Amino acid sequence: MSKWVKHNGIIRTQGLCGDFINFPSSTAQQTAEALEKLDGILTEARLQWKHLVAITIYIANISEENFEEMNGVYDKWVDPEGLPTRLCVEAKMGHGAGVKIRAEAL
Amino acid sequence: MSKWVKHNGIIRTQGLCGDFINFPSSTAQQTAEALEKLDGILTEARLQWKHLVAITIYIANISEENFEEMNGVYDKWVDPEGLPTRLCVEAKMGHGAGVKIRAEAL
Amino acid sequence: MSKWVKHNGIIRTQGLCGDFINFPSSTAQQTAEALEKLDGILTEARLQWKHLVAITIYIANISEENFEEMNGVYDKWVDPEGLPTRLCVEAKMGHGAGVKIRAEAL
């Protein structure tokens, strides 16, 4: 699987997740690890968080608690001066992943 | 959260929803309110419904009844001469939202 | 519903599915039929599988068995020299569809 692609100045990535295979991990932890991967991709692409234009967050169990955990981590990463459009939905994922992320930056 | 972004002639928006916080609201009503927001974005961007190229509709409970309710509202908005690609899936969303929409226009 | 649209060199399609209306059909079968449709779209657009940059697969029931079935079919279609970014999530869909696909190629 490709990590990200670039075309016409747009970076696309999806399927970013934390490590949920080796041990149970919280929504906060998996969100943090997925967003660290996104941060790495932005860096590779010589972009910053303010260049993020769209982010979709899939959570396996969107309880109020998990939703707040995710938001707490999310708010630390995004740039208030360049907030992306955002969508967050619950979705069960293969092999028990708790969080996955899709994003576009330009 | 940004409402929409434009790049290379493409308008992207996501997370559009109706008012589900203040009172219980039907799938039809939330769909109508979300599509009104999309209509406002298209207008701001000086586009028409025929310029919509992709729409994804997330429904919290995709019962046959809700699916038909959504379709009934949807069919009133879209332009038969320029129908977008469409995907509709069930997904639970934060704070009990019943309908959310993602769209691209150009 | 439009099958696909092209803009700035990007092909977008979504909602591709197998025939689940007329008879019960496995995840493998519906995946195969949806990917055949994607293959037809790529051909119409004069593109190849290596040009696929993003694919999202929605499965109505993402059990380990169904996930493996889907992967088995998927691996036969994609081009190892040009793998797309991928996201696979569980989502219930209208009228009992078992598999739906969204994709972008360029």
Side-chain angles (χ1 to χ4, degrees):
Chain A
M1 180 164 55
S2 299
K3 266 204 316 185
W4 56 281
V5 294
K6 181 171 183 174
H7 178 68
N8 277 347
I10 303 180
I11 300 294
R12 290 148 205 271
T13 183
Q14 61 181 350
L16 302 179
C17 59
D19 180 2
F20 55 91
I21 299 290
N22 298 315
F23 48 85
S25 174
S26 68
T27 294
Q29 178 67 15
Q30 290 187 48
T31 304
E33 290 172 11
L35 291 177
E36 270 173 54
K37 286 183 186 167
L38 178 53
D39 186 62
I41 288 170
L42 290 172
T43 302
E44 270 180 48
R46 300 187 183 188
L47 292 176
Q48 296 172 278
W49 279 80
K50 68 180 177 189
H51 299 121
L52 198 66
V53 292
I55 188 164
T56 309
I57 301 161
Y58 298 86
I59 298 184
N61 173 358
I62 199 167
S63 65
E64 288 292 321
E65 189 188 337
N66 286 345
F67 192 57
E68 294 314 316
E69 272 190 30
M70 177 279 296
N71 277 324
V73 175
Y74 178 82
D75 288 343
K76 286 180 198 158
W77 280 103
V78 288
D79 184 339
E81 287 179 29
L83 289 173
T85 63
R86 192 184 100 163
L87 179 69
C88 180
V89 297
E90 180 179 273
K92 206 174 143 192
M93 293 166 283
H95 302 315
V99 175
K100 288 205 179 176
I101 284 172
R102 173 213 308 266
E104 292 174 352
L106 54 86
Chain B
M1 183 162 53
S2 298
K3 266 204 318 184
W4 58 281
V5 294
K6 181 173 185 175
H7 178 67
N8 277 346
I10 302 180
I11 299 295
R12 290 149 205 270
T13 184
Q14 62 181 349
L16 302 178
C17 59
D19 180 2
F20 55 90
I21 299 289
N22 298 314
F23 47 85
S25 174
S26 68
T27 295
Q29 178 67 16
Q30 290 187 47
T31 304
E33 290 172 10
L35 291 177
E36 270 174 53
K37 286 183 187 168
L38 178 54
D39 187 62
I41 287 170
L42 290 172
T43 302
E44 271 179 48
R46 300 188 183 186
L47 292 175
Q48 295 172 279
W49 279 80
K50 68 180 177 189
H51 299 122
L52 199 65
V53 293
I55 189 164
T56 309
I57 301 161
Y58 298 86
I59 298 183
N61 173 358
I62 199 167
S63 64
E64 287 293 320
E65 188 187 338
N66 286 346
F67 191 58
E68 293 314 316
E69 271 190 29
M70 177 279 295
N71 276 324
V73 176
Y74 178 81
D75 289 343
K76 287 181 197 157
W77 280 102
V78 288
D79 183 340
E81 287 178 31
L83 289 174
T85 63
R86 191 184 101 162
L87 179 70
C88 181
V89 297
E90 181 179 273
K92 207 173 144 192
M93 293 165 283
H95 301 317
V99 176
K100 289 204 179 176
I101 284 172
R102 174 212 309 264
E104 292 175 350
L106 54 88
Chain C
M1 183 162 54
S2 299
K3 267 204 314 185
W4 57 281
V5 294
K6 181 172 184 175
H7 177 67
N8 276 347
I10 302 180
I11 300 294
R12 290 149 205 271
T13 183
Q14 61 181 349
L16 302 179
C17 58
D19 180 3
F20 55 89
I21 300 290
N22 297 313
F23 47 85
S25 174
S26 67
T27 295
Q29 179 66 18
Q30 291 187 48
T31 304
E33 290 172 12
L35 291 178
E36 270 173 54
K37 286 183 186 167
L38 178 54
D39 187 62
I41 288 171
L42 290 172
T43 302
E44 273 179 48
R46 299 187 183 187
L47 292 176
Q48 296 173 279
W49 279 81
K50 68 179 176 190
H51 298 122
L52 198 66
V53 292
I55 188 164
T56 309
I57 302 161
Y58 298 86
I59 299 184
N61 173 358
I62 199 168
S63 64
E64 288 293 320
E65 188 188 338
N66 286 346
F67 191 58
E68 294 314 316
E69 272 191 29
M70 177 279 295
N71 277 324
V73 175
Y74 178 80
D75 288 343
K76 287 181 197 157
W77 280 103
V78 288
D79 184 338
E81 288 178 30
L83 288 174
T85 62
R86 191 184 101 163
L87 179 71
C88 180
V89 296
E90 181 179 272
K92 207 173 143 193
M93 293 165 283
H95 302 317
V99 176
K100 289 205 179 176
I101 284 172
R102 173 214 307 266
E104 292 175 350
L106 54 87

